[in-house]
């Protein structure tokens, strides 16, 4: 069914990778020594160029990924907005977390020297693009925007699912950077799995960002950690995004919640890392009754055949684990899979969590019927680390304990909202305990994502003129600073 | 020569470890749900109790480590100061990095939900104590203070070099915590290498701090990364701490710098992770002339026989690599090693950096003679990642490029100062690229060290009364907050 050939572009030669990495290393020093205001203009230049090329890029993306033009235009808009927001963040420089301690002979543990701490770019970054967001988590997506904002050159490993789009996007990015005066080597694109492995192992690469499967991400994570010099590996792998519905919420809004749930898990044919894959409902719920008889939306083409067949396999595994089909469209295992809903009991889940709570990347979801509210804590604990967890509750509900558990399990917890939207904001958190992320202490979406690609450095006893501007007493740069702890 | 038996205390039984970890897991929830102000009092209680027990603890520490009482009293003072400073940091709550984005229907990429981001404790933390700081980097040291401040229970693996002191210190800490009302399980001490390995692999442990050797730290790092759920491993391993002396500095202050260098590399018998192990001087320097003829201080007992014999081996390896002895006390390889100084050329170092720039943990240092200032960049690049790098320079020196390179190589860069003091402050940075640290983006000293043991969580669409206090509109807690990006 899929019109895309996954291997339209040959892998990058290792000799070419060598040239790219040498250039990235050179660019790294130039970007580090350059000023932030200039760097911010590079991000804006990329955003402007992508907007200008929107029509052909969206068309190409649609051809390669089957995603609708409306969705793709929205995604490109998100991508260019993100670049511009990060340009602002580079200028305001909160991400530098500047701290200045003046020398203090009275410091209680002994005389304190003059110490000034800022952050520098970590060095060249490898970015592994995702299949499901050909713009927002790909060539010019969040990881690339974060790394460039931080002052790091980027080498993107293209996803084979949208290779032509990747090449065209990279062309736009490269030209925009060159025109804006960015150092050559600030950005490059490579193709091929073996090249990706070489990339993450190369000593010139100092950090990596990844969005994709648990198996693929784990393999690259392990390569990154087994290097002579291990590097931070920011991988966003898998998530089930459970939704916990209280008895009171079901009584008040069961049918409504059911409808919203269907809309959320079938959005984009279920191909979101934040798709709510599981919903927990009380016994004899209105929600379950509604889900059983609801007319599910039509299926939509999946990104490519590999993803489709993997999805069907994961649905079959769920069924083999005892999940009962409670509703399905006409062709749940077809070329264009219809949405499908399953049911299991709480006891089944607690007995076999690894099978029943595994991620199904596609338009499938699982309903878990719980016997009583006392079970919710144990059920929440049965999940691995999650990107999101959601509660559907009423104001009178006593759910403090459940919220506490969900905060431990997930990076983002939602109240009466749905996880499939991930807004790019200052406070966003996208990443949670493993396997949601290989680095639960960071985020891959939102302004804080820039912090992944900088490293702290303290300068002790420096004369003013040898300090970076943001650390000087008379800095003209209005960077927020913590001075003597205040 | 060493009066200490390294195995005075039997290893912790695995059955006992199980009890400790179950208690830590329980305490984790209680600490997480408890309030910050109460938690701050736990740190102060520990500090007060340690101060009250100073006399017997210092005596025991002296007996086990051979370190002088003056040094040990200073170190204990540093330790209790650190606990009190971290108590203040818990109260002021900057480490929560609170961000509030109000819902905004006009947000350019599409309507923005209400998003509020704070940080929660990461969970139980394993701390691997160091040999060389029996107070400040051991049972109640920086890692323990950071983790408790963050709200995480701590299980310390004692260093065998000061086992009795560890047991006594742990007793003081445990009693202080109990009296202050901390949850049982908030703190425990274990003994034995195998138990340490089990600790870092246990699914209930969510992060680890380590100070010690490259080989030991790397082995534990790899265990932590190969778990089903990998965890952050904050290891401070090895560092050479080079000092770069410019021609102008040598001309102006060569003899003075030489004296200060000798004082710094022989301090505490050279058993500091920040000992300046290498100094780079111009040809025909006053500094080298002074070092050749200087009277080196007497040796002092090393921490234990294992460290002493390892040190002598590393000095022999340096000599086998071609380093020439230019000055030494009477017994550089003796039971109480006298300080020793070596010399090599820049060419030798560039040809064989792995041997000549390896850390020697003890009272040895290496002088590198460089031919011209143009060589300094290449020499700086020949070093692995460092905790510190220092410059001795004059105001007229053009060293911007060298400073830039040293910032890439080290976590802290010093100007005309010596690295062996590591003040506990807001702006301190202790940690650098591998092998200085397994996590170059964090610090193990200073207030920012608390940030290693918290994890970001965003709450979306929450009603006010279900939010943690620091995220509420009407919060009584004066926590610094970034609201709508401002």
């Amino acid at each position: 069914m899929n019109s895309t050939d996954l291997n339209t572009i040959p892998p990058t030669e290792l000799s070419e990778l060598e040239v790219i990495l040498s250039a990235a290393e050179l660019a790294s020093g130039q970007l580090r020594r350059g000023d932030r205001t200039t760097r911010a203009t590079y991000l804006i230049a990329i955003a402007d160029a992508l907007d200008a090329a929107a029509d052909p890029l969206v068309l190409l993306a649609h051809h390669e990924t089957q995603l609708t033009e409306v969705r793709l235009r929205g995604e490109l808009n998100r991508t260019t907005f993100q670049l511009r927001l990060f340009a602002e963040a580079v200028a305001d420089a909160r991400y530098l977390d500047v701290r200045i301690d003046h020398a203090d002979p009275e410091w209680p543990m002994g005389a304190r020297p003059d110490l000034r701490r800022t952050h520098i770019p970590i060095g060249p970054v490898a970015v592994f693009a995702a299949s499901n967001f050909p713009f927002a988590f790909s060539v010019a997506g969040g990881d690339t925007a974060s790394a460039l904002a931080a002052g790091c050159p980027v080498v993107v490993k293209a996803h084979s699912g949208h290779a032509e789009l990747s090449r065209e996007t990279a062309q736009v990015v490269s030209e925009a950077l060159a025109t804006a005066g960015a150092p050559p080597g600030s950005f490059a694109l490579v193709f091929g799995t073996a090249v990706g492995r070489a990339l993450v192992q190369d000593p010139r690469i100092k950090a990596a960002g990844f969005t994709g499967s648990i198996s693929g991400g784990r393999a690259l994570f392990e390569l990154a950690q087994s290097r002579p010099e291990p590097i931070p590996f920011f991988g966003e792998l898998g998530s089930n995004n459970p939704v916990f519905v209280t008895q009171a919420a079901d009584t008040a809004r069961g049918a409504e919640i059911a409808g919203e749930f269907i809309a959320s898990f079938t959005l984009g044919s279920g191909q979101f890392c934040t798709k709510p894959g599981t919903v927990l409902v009380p016994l004899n719920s209105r929600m379950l009754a509604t889900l059983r008889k609801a007319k599910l939306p039509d299926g939509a083409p999946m990104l490519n055949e590999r993803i489709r067949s993997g999805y069907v396999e994961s649905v079959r595994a769920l069924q083999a684990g005892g999940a009962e089909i409670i509703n399905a469209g006409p062709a749940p295992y077809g070329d264009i899979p219809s949405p499908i809903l399953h049911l299991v009991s709480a006891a089944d889940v607690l007995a076999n969590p690894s099978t029943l709570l595994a991620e199904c990347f596609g338009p499938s979801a699982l309903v878990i019927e719980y016997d009583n509210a006392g079970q919710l804590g144990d059920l929440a604990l049965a999940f691995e680390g999650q990107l999101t967890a959601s509660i559907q509750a009423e104001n009178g509900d006593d759910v403090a304990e459940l919220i506490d558990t969900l905060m431990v399990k997930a990076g983002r917890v939602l109240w009466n909202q749905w996880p499939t939207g991930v807004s790019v904001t200052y406070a966003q958190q996208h990443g949670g305990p493993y396997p949601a992320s290989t680095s639960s202490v960071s985020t891959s979406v939102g302004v804080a994502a820039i912090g992944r690609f900088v490293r702290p450095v303290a300068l002790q006893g420096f004369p003013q003129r040898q300090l970076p501007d943001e650390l000087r007493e008379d800095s003209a740069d209005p960077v927020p600073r913590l001075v003597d702890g205040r």
Side-chain angles (χ1 to χ4, degrees), chain A residues 30 34 80 90 99 108 124 171 176 230 237 286 320 343 383 408 411 432 452 483:
Chain A
Q30 293 168 285
T80 56
V90 172
R99 296 161 184 238
Q171 188 63 29
L237 312 189
R286 293 183 184 200
L343 176 68
F383 285 86
V408 171
R452 295 176 296 167
V483 178

Side-chain angles (χ1 to χ4, degrees), chain A residues 423-464:
Chain A
S423 193
V424 179
T425 80
Y426 308 98
Q428 185 57 277
Q429 172 58 28
H430 192 65
Y434 189 88
S437 170
T438 57
S439 167
S440 69
V441 297
S442 66
T443 179
S444 63
V445 177
V447 170
I450 299 170
R452 295 176 296 167
F453 301 120
V454 291
R455 185 171 74 70
V457 177
L459 299 180
Q460 180 175 329
F462 265 58
Q464 290 293 315

Side-chain angles (χ1 to χ4, degrees), chain A residues 2 42 136 158-159 213 219 270 374 383 385 399 435 437 457 470:
Chain A
N2 197 302
Y42 304 157
H159 196 281
S213 70
F383 285 86
V399 284
S437 170
V457 177
E470 72 265 20

Side-chain angles (χ1 to χ4, degrees), chain A residues 341-355:
Chain A
L341 276 164
H342 303 86
L343 176 68
V344 292
S345 70
D348 287 342
V349 166
L350 293 173
N352 190 10
S354 63
T355 298

